[in-house]
Amino acid sequence: QGQLVESGGGLVQPGGSLRLSCEASAFFLANHAIGWFRQAPGKEREGVSCIGRNGGNIYYSNAVKDRFTISRDNNRNAAYLQMNNLRPEDTAVYYCETVSCRAYGPETYYYPDITWGQGTQVTVSS
């Protein structure tokens, strides 16, 4: 069974930075577009960013554009989300998933043999 696991979250002050990682096991991440989603308490889940299989076809939501950078290292079987200039409204649980990376955002693409992780908590507070 393939698995995606997120890490790198934490507590950071406004203006700070974090780098989230999304590591794949038991399957080749290179075969999939990857998306990052977030969900804050009481709010709808939001597609933040996505990246195509070969690193092209990148999307950012307006809320994170120019602050977040998505990348991937297929040799390491991992994807990343560099988050700079964090704001309190970025506070959420962040998830990575296999997706179709569309011009309007990531669409979750479910594979029965890949299990997604529990997410990683990002808290931006002074």
Side-chain angles (χ1 to χ4, degrees):
Q1 181 78 9
Q3 192 171 17
L4 284 172
V5 177
E6 305 92 343
S7 63
L11 173 64
V12 63
Q13 293 186 342
S17 298
L18 285 173
R19 188 192 194 211
L20 305 185
S21 296
C22 172
E23 297 182 355
S25 60
F27 74 99
F28 292 108
L29 199 68
N31 293 337
H32 302 276
I34 294 298
W36 285 95
F37 297 83
R38 67 185 181 184
Q39 186 157 24
K43 294 187 178 180
E44 289 190 2
R45 199 170 86 131
E46 174 187 5
V48 172
S49 182
C50 59
I51 186 168
R53 288 179 293 176
N54 61 2
N57 192 28
I58 290 176
Y59 164 88
Y60 297 104
S61 70
N62 286 336
V64 306
K65 192 176 295 184
D66 299 326
R67 299 187 298 122
F68 290 11
T69 302
I70 193 170
S71 64
R72 65 190 301 156
D73 186 341
N74 288 336
N75 289 327
R76 295 182 180 272
N77 225 25
Y80 307 97
L81 188 67
Q82 177 67 42
M83 307 186 298
N84 297 330
N85 193 19
L86 283 160
R87 304 167 179 169
E89 54 263 40
D90 295 318
T91 296
V93 178
Y94 284 72
Y95 305 88
C96 66
E97 296 176 0
T98 50
V99 300
S100 294
C101 190
R102 308 293 189 186
Y104 50 81
E107 284 187 350
T108 298
Y109 200 103
Y110 173 71
Y111 295 88
D113 56 348
I114 297 175
T115 300
W116 296 329
Q118 299 297 309
T120 185
Q121 175 71 48
V122 172
T123 302
V124 185
S125 175
S126 54

